[in-house]
Amino acid sequence: MAGDTLTRPKDLLDFSAYGRKELEALLHLAERLKEERYRGEDLRGKVLALLFEKPSLRTRTTLEVAMVHLGGHAVYLDQKQVGIGEREPVRDVAKNLERFVDGIAARVFRHETVEALAQHARIPVVNALSDRAHPLQTLADLLTLKEVFGGLEGLEVAWVGDGNNVLASLLEAAPLVGLKVRVATPKGYEPDPALVKRAGAFLTHDPKEAAFRAHALYTDVWTSMGQEAEREKRLKDFRGFQVNGELLALLHPQGIFLHCLPAHYGEETTEEAVHGSQSRVFDQAENRLHTAKAVLLTLLK
Ligand code: CP
Ligand code: NVA
């Protein structure tokens, strides 16, 4: 499997080092890997360390399975064991891991931690979710939209909910692929204005205005990992922002529903929305695997 013709940024921390060409190459490679249900020996003998401070179903599993499909191996390192920044400093963890493994995927509370890992380790580092960004999720989102609509240019995606890490990565990638994003958040939960500006995104506090005739409606939890202490306040502040049948009825006739999962049912979405006919949520989850394979092939081969 040729990953050789791709330009290779060293890391995937966010999309700031990526241009249209690199992003499209990743998506194209993921499409090919998916079509071929690819399994091979490209990463034979290569080992990826998964350094996770937070729980995960999709990210951990898809990265581990991707390494198996590519002939390599993954080692899961629980924060309770490693104690990154507690038992020993981030720099020391980086300078040890680079001697043992070929790449690091890190899920961290503070984005600065994954940046410090990339700064100090001479091996590729992938952000497997931080408080600021979730680029692996965005790749799966883009692949899903591309499959449903045949392309990305000019699609209108409505984001309803929290201006969080998942939205930030979507906004970073959107202008690279010609995606238009409309964002509806409660007051005080808007995304970084610089990202909104660069993406040319439309901002509102009215979920209906964002959803009207959009090609996709995307939401995520109101309380992200690490924000649990704010849950009661957030439940009040986000009232009226739930994705349900009424909101989904406003979409474009072919409009779809996306959610990165896990879902907090009864909060940001109903069960009917996730399991209903407009939902592409589980295709989106499956695409985490194919896009993870594309990332690992590109960075580790
Ligand atoms: N969407 C996502 O990243 O899921 P996990 O938290 O289960 O990895
Ligand atoms: N915004 C959520 C995404 C989970 C995949 C969180 O950070 O917890």
Side-chain angles (χ1 to χ4, degrees):
M1 176 60 58
D4 304 320
T5 51
L6 302 176
T7 5
R8 297 175 194 210
K10 178 180 170 280
D11 305 299
L12 178 53
L13 303 184
D14 50 43
F15 290 114
S16 53
Y18 284 66
R20 174 180 278 260
K21 206 169 128 213
E22 288 78 22
L23 188 51
E24 284 180 348
L26 275 179
L27 291 174
H28 187 63
L29 180 57
E31 281 173 322
R32 278 177 51 205
L33 293 163
K34 181 172 184 177
E35 204 176 284
E36 295 173 18
R37 313 301 300 181
Y38 187 76
R39 289 171 194 229
E41 294 293 313
D42 307 72
L43 298 188
R44 185 210 275 269
K46 299 270 169 97
V47 179
L48 177 72
L50 301 182
L51 193 55
F52 276 36
E53 294 181 336
K54 300 174 182 176
S56 166
L57 172 65
R58 281 146 292 274
T59 308
R60 176 181 175 178
T61 312
T62 54
L63 288 168
E64 290 200 15
V65 172
M67 285 306 286
V68 172
H69 284 192
L70 296 170
H73 195 82
V75 179
Y76 184 74
L77 301 170
D78 193 308
Q79 168 64 0
K80 281 195 210 83
Q81 298 300 316
V82 178
I84 188 166
E86 291 165 13
R87 186 167 181 266
E88 60 187 298
V90 183
R91 179 166 63 172
D92 292 17
V93 173
K95 288 173 107 38
N96 276 267
L97 286 179
E98 70 176 13
R99 306 290 179 114
F100 311 146
V101 300
D102 303 283
I104 301 171
R107 171 165 283 207
V108 298
F109 283 101
R110 294 174 60 250
H111 190 75
E112 291 71 18
T113 304
V114 73
E115 282 182 334
L117 284 169
Q119 185 193 337
H120 296 296
R122 290 165 300 178
I123 51 175
V125 174
V126 175
N127 178 3
L129 182 146
S130 68
D131 57 343
R132 201 191 303 165
H134 196 5
L136 289 174
Q137 182 63 50
T138 299
L139 292 173
D141 305 341
L142 297 181
L143 182 59
T144 309
L145 288 165
K146 211 174 162 200
E147 286 172 345
V148 174
F149 295 102
L152 296 169
E153 192 78 46
L155 289 182
E156 302 260 3
V157 178
W159 176 276
V160 173
D162 189 16
N164 66 14
N165 47 0
V166 173
L167 173 61
S169 290
L170 186 69
L171 287 172
E172 276 179 356
L176 302 178
V177 290
L179 206 68
K180 298 196 173 117
V181 188
R182 309 171 189 169
V183 179
T185 69
K187 290 202 174 101
Y189 293 93
E190 297 86 355
D192 177 354
L195 288 182
V196 173
K197 194 169 169 213
R198 212 175 314 133
F202 172 78
L203 219 52
T204 173
H205 299 295
D206 176 3
K208 290 188 175 141
E209 190 182 15
F212 186 68
R213 292 194 65 79
H215 295 98
L217 182 52
Y218 195 164
T219 195
D220 181 17
V221 293
W222 294 338
T223 306
S224 283
M225 292 180 279
Q227 298 173 331
E228 290 76 9
E230 298 170 28
R231 180 157 182 270
E232 291 310 314
K233 175 172 168 35
R234 284 173 170 265
L235 284 178
K236 284 195 201 104
D237 292 347
F238 282 86
R239 214 171 275 155
F241 281 78
Q242 185 184 73
V243 175
N244 51 32
E246 197 191 333
L247 204 58
L248 288 170
L250 297 176
L251 297 185
H252 182 278
Q254 270 82 52
I256 62 168
F257 176 46
L258 298 174
H259 191 310
C260 57
L261 299 176
H264 293 168
Y265 291 126
E267 296 183 19
E268 81 281 356
T269 181
T270 59
E271 285 195 46
E272 291 75 21
V274 168
H275 294 276
S277 60
Q278 285 170 288
S279 172
R280 293 292 177 278
V281 165
F282 298 101
D283 295 328
Q284 191 185 0
E286 179 190 330
N287 284 336
R288 293 294 308 271
L289 174 61
H290 311 297
T291 47
K293 278 160 92 167
V295 168
L296 295 174
L297 252 187
T298 304
L299 293 181
L300 299 192
K301 197 171 167 205

